Amino acid sequence: MHNKPNHRTTQQRMVILEELKKVKTHPAADEIYKMVRKRLPRISLGTVYRNLEVLSGLKKIQEVDIVENLKRFDGNPENHYHIRCMKCGRIDDAPFGLENDLEKKMRPLTDYTIISHRLEFIGICPGCSSKDK
Amino acid sequence: MHNKPNHRTTQQRMVILEELKKVKTHPAADEIYKMVRKRLPRISLGTVYRNLEVLSGLKKIQEVDIVENLKRFDGNPENHYHIRCMKCGRIDDAPFGLENDLEKKMRPLTDYTIISHRLEFIGICPGCSSKDK
DNA sequence: GTACCTGCAAAGCTTTTGCAACTGG
DNA sequence: CCAGTTGCAAAAGCTTTGCAGGTAC
């Protein structure tokens, strides 16, 4: 049995969090690195990655895509929804019709020209939940 | 001005498409490579990648995530929706409340334990649409 | 015949990791 | 004090690409 690590509030970790909270964009690690380096010129990219992971774990921030860094392909070219297992990464089609109202509701709220939307459910697949026991 | 390339129906391209249509999983390139290699042992991984791109362009298949291959981080840890520009990759928060009904509607339709969901709109941001002119 | 494709290998990018030195509590 | 962090550099993925030789049409 392992205890959770006791996370420390290092200067690097604080600055990364502060800089990320400051912007309304959704920067990738490299951009965050550049932002943080203005205040901590000697910080390393590895530290940025490690802290982003820690901060996500602490729910202080989140990753925009849960997606592991792999392109995945679907033999069905029609828009449809997916459900993804958070334990094993398995992806199934969601037995769920398209919610076309979503785009209609969104249009008046944004300056973007809406073209499409994606909906993904996140859960635990039958295989993984039986393993939990 | 360039013309679109005239795509050819090579054996490699056909087999990749057939194998991907056969499965209901959503395999990554490497898995597709393994599947295809059973029928075409000399095919290369590069060819698989190139054909997946061509087939996506032809809308014969689709990528599950439009996401460029970069993790992105959000200083806001609460669930909320995003809108992504298909031209420049910019991501903004969507001014759109959570649709909690979606999970409620999904639960009876699946064996997965639903934990959360993600909704992302895809469109063209104001900056990119003005450039279109 | 020639534009398009392929296999191979090398290069490119992003992310992760081993390690020795350092530091917050 | 010492578990947790850091910087650095190397390693490890996954994906893209240059090239010379094939191939569909």
Side-chain angles (χ1 to χ4, degrees), chain A residues 1 3 6 12-13 20 26-27 29-30 35 38 46 50 70 73 78 93 107 110 115 120 123:
Chain A
M1 283 274 109
N3 290 326
N6 279 317
Q12 289 88 336
R13 187 162 296 162
L20 185 53
H26 301 72
D30 187 59
M35 290 162 17
K38 290 180 188 158
R50 281 182 287 223
L70 267 182
F73 297 88
E78 300 300 320
D93 289 340
R107 286 208 172 80
T110 180
I115 293 187
E120 177 176 290

Side-chain angles (χ1 to χ4, degrees), chain A residues 92-107:
Chain A
D92 280 292
D93 289 340
F96 198 96
L98 287 192
E99 294 272 317
N100 292 308
D101 286 354
L102 295 173
E103 292 180 29
K104 200 179 301 175
K105 280 170 72 179
M106 181 66 178
R107 286 208 172 80

Side-chain angles (χ1 to χ4, degrees), chain B residues 61-83:
Chain B
I61 66 172
Q62 68 173 313
E63 271 189 45
V64 171
D65 308 289
I66 329 138
V67 184
E68 8 75 290
N69 242 10
L70 268 182
K71 292 187 173 181
R72 283 168 172 273
F73 296 88
D74 190 330
N76 175 1
E78 300 300 321
N79 190 12
H80 61 278
Y81 303 146
H82 291 123
I83 177 159

Side-chain angles (χ1 to χ4, degrees), chain B residues 89-102:
Chain B
R90 170 177 158 187
I91 300 173
D92 281 291
D93 289 341
F96 199 96
L98 287 191
E99 294 272 318
N100 292 307
D101 285 355
L102 295 172

Side-chain angles (χ1 to χ4, degrees), chain B residues 4-115:
Chain B
K4 285 177 197 157
N6 279 317
H7 296 292
R8 292 178 185 168
T9 55
T10 62
Q11 202 178 162
Q12 290 88 335
R13 186 162 297 161
M14 278 168 43
V15 172
I16 289 168
L17 181 57
E18 284 171 19
E19 292 297 313
L20 185 51
K21 292 264 184 200
K22 247 184 223 171
V23 296
K24 65 179 196 330
T25 58
H26 300 73
D30 187 59
E31 283 175 81
I32 297 169
Y33 175 53
K34 284 183 197 141
M35 289 162 18
V36 169
R37 220 167 17 161
K38 289 180 188 157
R39 293 173 57 187
L40 302 175
R42 295 187 45 72
I43 198 173
S44 75
L45 185 54
T47 296
V48 172
Y49 274 105
R50 281 181 288 224
N51 276 307
L52 289 170
E53 195 182 313
V54 170
L55 291 167
S56 295
L58 295 173
K59 310 282 190 210
K60 300 279 184 71
I61 66 172
Q62 68 173 313
E63 271 189 45
V64 171
D65 308 289
I66 329 138
V67 184
E68 8 75 290
N69 242 10
L70 268 182
K71 292 187 173 181
R72 283 168 172 273
F73 296 88
D74 190 330
N76 175 1
E78 300 300 321
N79 190 12
H80 61 278
Y81 303 146
H82 291 123
I83 177 159
R84 186 186 301 259
C85 176
M86 18 179 335
K87 301 254 178 178
C88 69
R90 170 177 158 187
I91 300 173
D92 281 291
D93 289 341
F96 199 96
L98 287 191
E99 294 272 318
N100 292 307
D101 285 355
L102 295 172
E103 291 180 30
K104 201 180 300 173
K105 279 170 72 179
M106 181 66 178
R107 286 210 171 79
L109 302 175
T110 180
D111 288 338
Y112 278 65
T113 309
I114 305 289
I115 294 188

Side-chain angles (χ1 to χ4, degrees), chain A residues 6-7 10 15 23 28 32 34 49 51 56 71 76 80 93-94 97 105 110 116-118 120 128 130 132-133:
Chain A
N6 279 317
H7 296 292
T10 63
V15 172
V23 296
I32 297 169
K34 284 183 197 143
Y49 274 104
N51 276 306
S56 294
K71 290 187 175 183
N76 174 2
H80 60 279
D93 289 340
K105 280 170 72 179
T110 180
S116 172
H117 71 281
R118 305 238 155 183
E120 177 176 290
C128 286
S130 62
D132 278 351
K133 306 292 155 62

